[in-house]
Amino acid sequence: MRNENISINNSKLQKIPFTMYDVGWVVLCIGMAIGAGIVFMPVQIGLKGIWVFIVAIALSYPAIYFLQDLYLKTLSRTEECEDYTNIISQYLGKNWGVALGAVYFLSLIMIFLSYSLAVIFDSASYIKTFGITEELLSDSPWYSLLVFSILVSIAAQGERLLFKVSGPMIIVKFSIILALGLLMIPHWNFDNITAFPEFLPFLRDVLLTLPFTLYSILFVQILNPMNIAYRKVETDKEIAAYRAVRVNRITYIILAIVVLFFAFSFTFSISHEQAVQAFEQNISALAIAAQVMSGNAIKIMSSVLNVFSIITAFLGIYLGVQESVKGIVTNLLSRVIPENKINKTILHYAVTICIILALWIWVSTKFSVLYLLQLAGPTYGIIACLIPVYLIYKVSNLSDLKGFRAWYVAFFGILLCVSPLFSLFE
């Protein structure tokens, strides 16, 4: 009888139409994935070599699908669904909720800070490269304050405004990825393919490259905001979970095909020397390509792709950062005052203003984006890999998710956690 009910439920779910709201989330997920990961990954590949890239992809791409699928399913099965801290509190208690909520916030904020650096420095680099200004605008603190005020004000309005603002930019940059991958073919130079390295340096570099291949199509940062949004529009949590998981699956397939083509095409076109130059200038591979490659079409397209990628990823991850901060603050405030007396409007504006000011101060440090991406690996290993697997084996109503996928995600999570340590052996 139980199998018959499952079959009936699956048949019912499969008949749910794919609406424009679903399309909007696919677009936002693509926008989240095509950000710092894809525009900085060619730099890491140029530094470490294509053989390292191939093995890192073989390890990380199956893990990305498994971990996002398990992560989303563990989040979607709670009775209430307000924020990450609230969800974990339902599984493990309020103290674990705030502790893991802080780790979740750290994982989001490290990538968010990467995007904030890229938004300011890459946009200023392009403006100077195309002769609009003689000096770098990033040297002026008022430039970063203005940019962050505009972007955060847009993102803070919610997903429906992001559909309208980010959607066209995401479609444009996705089209450019396909076109740019084709246009880069004449610039391919197979001399950029280096000899296979020695085993120990090769193993070290694979582990150091895992965070970059992970971020190339990862959009786990937006999955919880998406899960919360579907729970708000669907009264049946099973239907909400099905729609969210379906969006995740469709987005992954699209990204895996297109991003791999783009990454290989771009990798064949950038030399090791150009990758070193991009690393030293703290800019992406696309920014360096606009400086050194001939052809206005490539320069313009790479410029638009880079700027749109960073902006839309910034806007997309803001939903997760905002939700995380609100969850932690609400959890802490609810210990001293009743939660129903917390003014949500004041909390919303306070979080928005604090994020703008924090980003403004952060950009002045000019921290290396590549180092920040490496350091973020362990936090994603904990939040997106180890915690969901722990919940699967701890919580009875998640026991159906046990198996090979869970163990592979745990293995990949451990690799992410230890990957920054290997930088000590460079």
Side-chain angles (χ1 to χ4, degrees), residues 28 43 116 195 197 225 233 254 260 266 277-278 289 310 337 346 394 417:
L28 277 189
V43 177
S116 68
V233 300
I254 294 171
L260 279 178
F266 218 90
Q277 183 182 359
I310 298 299
I337 61 174
I346 294 176
K394 174 76 173 179
C417 289

Side-chain angles (χ1 to χ4, degrees), residues 234-360:
E234 288 286 356
T235 54
D236 188 331
K237 70 175 185 178
E238 188 176 354
I239 294 177
Y242 173 80
R243 293 180 68 184
V245 169
R246 181 175 60 181
V247 166
N248 172 59
R249 182 176 64 251
I250 293 172
T251 305
Y252 174 86
I253 294 171
I254 294 171
L255 284 168
I257 295 171
V258 176
V259 170
L260 279 178
F261 168 68
F262 169 84
F264 275 106
S265 183
F266 218 90
T267 299
F268 292 147
S269 307
I270 291 184
S271 67
H272 177 74
E273 290 74 20
Q274 290 169 337
V276 171
Q277 183 182 359
F279 174 76
E280 291 175 347
Q281 295 182 13
N282 203 26
I283 60 177
S284 70
L286 297 179
I288 201 71
Q291 296 177 16
V292 302
M293 287 186 177
S294 60
N296 288 331
I298 291 179
K299 288 184 179 181
I300 294 173
M301 292 175 70
S302 63
S303 300
V304 172
L305 174 60
N306 193 6
V307 173
F308 279 17
S309 293
I310 298 299
I311 289 176
T312 54
F314 179 97
L315 294 173
I317 199 173
Y318 180 86
L319 292 176
V321 172
Q322 178 182 256
E323 167 254 318
S324 178
V325 174
K326 286 182 178 180
I328 294 174
V329 173
T330 301
N331 184 291
L332 295 175
L333 289 177
S334 65
R335 297 167 186 262
V336 293
I337 61 174
E339 187 171 335
N340 59 4
K341 291 187 177 181
I342 298 174
N343 191 308
K344 302 295 185 181
T345 302
I346 294 176
L347 177 63
H348 174 79
Y349 284 109
V351 167
T352 301
I353 293 171
C354 287
I355 289 176
I356 292 173
L357 295 176
L359 292 178
W360 186 35

Side-chain angles (χ1 to χ4, degrees), residues 108-123:
L108 290 177
I109 203 66
M110 294 181 78
I111 302 301
F112 191 51
L113 293 177
S114 299
Y115 292 141
S116 68
L117 288 167
V119 162
I120 300 304
F121 291 111
D122 272 27
S123 62

Side-chain angles (χ1 to χ4, degrees), residues 28-273:
L28 277 189
C29 288
I30 290 174
M32 180 71 260
I34 304 176
I38 190 172
V39 298
F40 283 99
M41 185 170 64
V43 177
Q44 179 72 2
I45 298 168
L47 291 172
K48 303 301 182 183
I50 195 169
W51 301 113
V52 168
F53 171 61
I54 291 173
V55 174
I57 284 289
L59 285 172
S60 59
Y61 271 36
I64 290 169
Y65 180 76
F66 294 158
L67 73 87
Q68 292 190 155
D69 185 64
L70 293 179
Y71 176 77
L72 189 53
K73 287 177 179 177
T74 56
L75 294 178
S76 65
R77 295 193 183 183
T78 54
E79 290 301 320
E80 298 178 5
C81 190
E82 296 179 8
D83 51 67
Y84 183 83
T85 303
N86 171 267
I87 290 170
I88 295 299
S89 296
Q90 292 177 65
Y91 281 131
L92 303 176
K94 186 169 284 190
N95 290 334
W96 273 108
V98 73
L100 294 180
V103 179
Y104 174 69
F105 171 73
L106 182 62
S107 69
L108 290 177
I109 203 66
M110 294 181 78
I111 302 301
F112 191 51
L113 293 177
S114 299
Y115 292 141
S116 68
L117 288 167
V119 162
I120 300 304
F121 291 111
D122 272 27
S123 62
S125 174
Y126 284 126
I127 290 172
K128 182 181 178 182
T129 297
F130 287 99
I132 299 174
T133 61
E134 295 183 359
E135 303 295 332
L136 286 170
L137 290 176
S138 54
D139 293 335
S140 170
W142 302 112
Y143 174 70
S144 57
L145 180 61
L146 176 63
V147 172
F148 289 139
S149 297
I150 294 172
L151 293 180
V152 171
S153 297
I154 293 172
Q157 302 304 311
E159 77 271 6
R160 293 193 182 272
L161 181 60
L162 287 184
F163 289 166
K164 297 177 181 178
V165 175
S166 296
M169 286 193 287
I170 294 169
I171 292 170
V172 168
K173 73 179 183 180
F174 189 74
S175 302
I176 288 177
I177 285 178
L178 290 173
L180 194 55
L182 294 171
L183 288 174
M184 297 298 282
I185 292 176
H187 295 277
W188 285 6
N189 182 358
F190 291 101
D191 290 337
N192 292 333
I193 302 177
T194 57
F196 199 89
E198 296 181 5
F199 179 73
L200 289 179
F202 170 75
L203 179 62
R204 174 202 65 199
D205 290 343
V206 166
L207 292 176
L208 286 173
T209 304
L210 282 181
F212 295 90
T213 53
L214 174 74
Y215 301 140
S216 66
I217 62 170
L218 186 76
F219 50 97
V220 69
Q221 307 95 327
I222 204 172
L223 291 183
N224 195 44
M226 179 176 72
N227 172 51
I228 294 170
Y230 272 114
R231 289 288 287 270
K232 289 179 179 178
V233 300
E234 288 286 356
T235 54
D236 188 331
K237 70 175 185 178
E238 188 176 354
I239 294 177
Y242 173 80
R243 293 180 68 184
V245 169
R246 181 175 60 181
V247 166
N248 172 59
R249 182 176 64 251
I250 293 172
T251 305
Y252 174 86
I253 294 171
I254 294 171
L255 284 168
I257 295 171
V258 176
V259 170
L260 279 178
F261 168 68
F262 169 84
F264 275 106
S265 183
F266 218 90
T267 299
F268 292 147
S269 307
I270 291 184
S271 67
H272 177 74
E273 290 74 20

